[in-house]
Amino acid sequence: QITLKESGPTLVRPTQTLTLTCTFSGFSLTTGGVGVGWIRQPPGKALEWLANIWWDSDRRYSPSLKSRLTITKDTSKNQVVLRMTDMDPVDTATYYCAHSVKAARTYYFDYWGQGTPVTVSS
Amino acid sequence: QSVLTQPPSVSGAPGQRVTISCTGSRSNIGAGYDVQWYQQLPGAAPKLLIYANTNRPSGVPDRFSGSQSGTSASLAITGLQPEDEADYYCQSYDSSLTGKLFGGGTTLTVL
């Protein structure tokens, strides 16, 4: 079965770079139509999509955060890494990674990790 | 601000039917991009409920159904149960490239 798990620091200082790793099993990031996305959720707020990386190495970023984000994959390790620079307290959130499926008229997230909380504070 | 608008809250009594709307525009739902629905129970990760407007993943009860028309989509829940109390999010693709894939979420309260 498909599982994903996020890992990374729970506390980050302002201006630092956040590095999160998504380790997955049950699928391959070389399979057509498959990707991994990152979504975050500030406390008490809505989901916000951050980035996606696809089987063909296509990378997509939220335009409002694009300058701060880098998503990469290591297919041999079954891992996807998200880096977010210049962290700010408003970036405090639970960060999720999710298995993504690219369909004809959309893409969606059918398996999610448990999420990892990140607090940005000095 | 989301490009997909949902009511902040809806409520219903056990056994009743409730619907949650997701209003988009010609750059997302109205452009023919499919809609998904996610359920997020308190303290848990989101779970895919409906994909491609009307399809249920394996294991999702048929009490949950989705529909789409024009620039809007809806999630209907029949035979409401206490365990349905959760936040619900719609999601689609937007060609205006705002990156705002998700609606603002709707909190369902079972009275």
Side-chain angles (χ1 to χ4, degrees), chain A residues 39 41 44-50 52 60-64 96 103-115, chain B residues 2 32-36 38 40 44-48 51-53 89 91-93 97-105:
Chain A
I39 302 101
Q41 186 173 37
K45 296 190 177 181
L47 300 171
E48 178 185 17
W49 172 74
L50 300 177
N52 254 75
R60 301 286 164 162
Y61 298 101
S62 170
S64 62
Y96 297 98
R105 298 188 303 274
T106 193
Y107 58 92
Y108 56 89
F109 309 96
D110 54 353
Y111 295 90
W112 294 62
Q114 64 189 21
Chain B
S2 304
Y33 294 110
D34 289 342
V35 177
Q36 281 65 238
Y38 301 85
Q40 187 175 31
K47 169 190 171 184
L48 180 67
Y51 67 97
N53 298 324
Y89 293 90
Q91 176 252 317
S92 186
Y93 178 79
L97 303 180
T98 62
K100 306 292 186 183
L101 298 188
F102 291 93

Side-chain angles (χ1 to χ4, degrees), chain B residues 7-21 75-82 84-88 105-111:
Chain B
S9 63
V10 298
S11 62
Q16 282 190 333
R17 178 182 187 270
V18 296
T19 60
I20 299 173
S21 61
L75 173 71
I77 309 172
T78 59
L80 206 57
Q81 299 181 2
D84 297 332
E85 197 160 276
D87 291 328
Y88 292 84
T106 298
T107 298
L108 168 63
T109 301
V110 181
L111 303 171

